C-alpha cells in the first residue's frame, strides 16, 4: 500500500470517526435535555448576558449563533452559571427565565421550554445528517478500495 492509497483510506476513516462522535454528542445532549424536562427540577434564572458568535465568511456563508449566559441557584443553594446556544431571541439581559436541570448535573441545565416533539425532530434531523455523512465516507472508502484493487490487477 503506497501513500496515495493510504490517503484514500485514512481521510474517510477520520470522517467516519467525526461522524460517530457527532452522533454520540447529539444523542447525549438530547438525552440530557429530555431528562431535565421530565425528571429534573426548575429554578428561576437571570440572563446575565446575551451575545452572538459568527463563523464562516469569505467564500462561505456566514452563520450567526445567539448565546445566553444564565445564572441560577439550585435547591441545594449552589450558584450555577450556564452558557446556552440558540436560545430565544426575545430574552435580553436582565430577564428572568425558568431553567430545567438535573440535581446531579446542574451545569447541563437548559432554558428551552419543554418541547419533546421539537427535540425529537431536531435530533432525528441531526442523526440523519450524520448517518448520510458516515455512509458517504464509507462508500468513498469502498470505491477507493475497488479502484485500487482493480488497478493492481491491471498493472504488472
Amino acid at each position: 500500500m503506497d501513500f496515495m492509497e493510504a490517503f484514500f483510506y485514512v481521510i474517510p476513516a477520520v470522517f467516519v470517526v467525526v461522524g460517530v462522535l457527532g452522533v454520540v454528542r447529539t444523542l447525549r445532549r438530547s438525552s440530557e435535555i429530555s431528562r431535565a424536562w421530565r425528571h429534573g427540577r426548575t429554578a428561576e434564572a437571570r440572563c446575565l448576558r446575551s451575545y452572538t458568535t459568527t463563523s464562516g465568511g469569505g467564500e462561505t456563508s456566514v452563520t450567526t449563533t445567539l448565546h445566553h449566559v444564565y445564572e441560577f441557584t439550585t435547591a441545594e443553594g449552589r450558584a450555577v452559571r450556564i452558557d446556552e446556544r440558540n436560545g430565544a431571541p426575545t430574552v435580553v439581559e436582565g430577564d428572568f427565565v425558568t431553567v430545567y436541570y438535573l440535581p446531579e448535573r446542574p451545569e447541563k441545565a437548559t432554558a428551552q421550554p419543554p418541547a419533546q416533539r421539537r427535540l425529537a425532530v431536531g435530533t432525528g434531523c441531526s442523526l440523519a445528517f450524520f448517518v448520510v455523512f458516515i455512509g458517504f465516507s464509507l462508500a468513498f472508502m469502498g470505491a477507493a478500495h475497488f479502484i485500487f484493487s482493480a488497478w493492481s490487477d491491471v498493472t504488472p
Side-chain angles (χ1 to χ4, degrees), residues 24-140:
V24 170
R25 183 175 178 239
T26 298
L27 289 174
R28 182 176 292 146
R29 183 61 182 153
S30 178
S31 174
E32 288 170 348
I33 291 172
S34 181
R35 285 184 33 229
W37 285 340
R38 289 182 183 193
H39 309 295
R41 295 183 177 163
T42 61
E44 185 176 64
R46 184 168 183 249
C47 180
L48 302 177
R49 179 175 179 231
S50 65
Y51 65 96
T52 59
T53 56
T54 57
S55 60
E59 297 291 322
T60 62
S61 62
V62 175
T63 303
T64 302
T65 304
L66 178 63
H67 296 257
H68 291 96
V69 178
Y70 299 108
E71 186 174 65
F72 66 97
T73 304
T74 65
E76 295 78 27
R78 178 177 162 207
V80 178
R81 190 175 286 187
I82 62 169
D83 184 335
E84 187 171 50
R85 296 183 323 161
N86 298 322
T90 56
V91 175
V92 295
E93 293 178 27
D95 284 355
F96 287 92
V97 297
T98 300
V99 292
Y100 302 83
Y101 70 96
L102 293 170
E104 65 273 10
R105 295 187 59 129
E107 65 280 353
K108 298 291 185 179
T110 182
Q112 297 176 16
Q116 289 290 349
R117 288 185 182 166
R118 188 171 138 221
L119 179 65
V121 168
T123 301
C125 289
S126 294
L127 292 178
F129 168 79
F130 285 121
V131 165
V132 169
F133 184 78
I134 291 167
F136 178 77
S137 299
L138 291 173
F140 184 85

